[in-house]
Structure formats: C-alpha cells, structure tokens
Amino acid sequence: MTTSYKELLKQRDALEQQIGEARKRELSDAVSQVRALVAEFGLTAQDVFPSGRARSASAGTKVAPKYRDPSTGQTWTGRGKAPKWIQNESREKFAI
C-alpha cells in the first residue's frame, strides 16, 4: 500500500501539531519542577545563572617582559607571535 504525497503532507501536519502540543506540556512540567526547586532551596537568579564567565585567578594579569630591543627599548614577553626585531635572531642577546 503506497501513501500519496498529499496524505503524507497531512500526516506531517498532524504530527507537527502533536509535537507542538507535547512540547508545551513538557515545558510546562519542566518549569513547574524548576520553580519548585528554586523555592525549596531558596535559589536566586545569580545562583542559577551567574553573570560573566568564570575566570582563573591569573587571567588578565600582566606578564613581565623577557626580551628587550636595545635600539628601541621595545619589550616582548616571549608569548604570542614574535616581533620583527627578534625574528631570525638569537633571543639570548635580547634577554632581560
């Protein structure tokens, strides 16, 4: 038994409606459970959704330079891409 294109489209529409209704029901149940837990434990929005990203203690701290160009006084920490004045050179002669 083959199903026609129009019949399949009707079935799809019916399924999409059922899916939407099931989603609404389950979302309602989930929200009720979350509200119950928030009330039970006295949680705040900050507890559940802390703002910003967690940062390590060393994040954003300055790193001391390890190399200095004697002609210009420019420095480099040794991290990231090397500046042009130290490329293809022995880094030992620029060490601080």
Side-chain angles (χ1 to χ4, degrees), residues 46-68:
Q46 183 66 27
D47 293 332
V48 179
F49 303 105
S51 62
R53 294 183 178 159
R55 297 182 72 171
S56 66
S58 63
T61 58
K62 297 284 182 182
V63 177
K66 293 182 182 178
Y67 306 100
R68 174 175 283 120

Side-chain angles (χ1 to χ4, degrees), residues 26-43:
E26 291 181 24
L27 276 176
S28 177
D29 291 345
V31 168
S32 295
Q33 289 175 352
V34 169
R35 286 183 177 152
L37 289 171
V38 165
E40 179 181 347
F41 291 99
L43 299 171

Side-chain angles (χ1 to χ4, degrees), residues 78-91:
R79 295 184 177 181
K81 186 177 177 183
K84 290 188 185 268
W85 53 264
I86 203 168
Q87 288 177 350
N88 303 322
E89 298 283 338
S90 171
R91 294 187 181 173

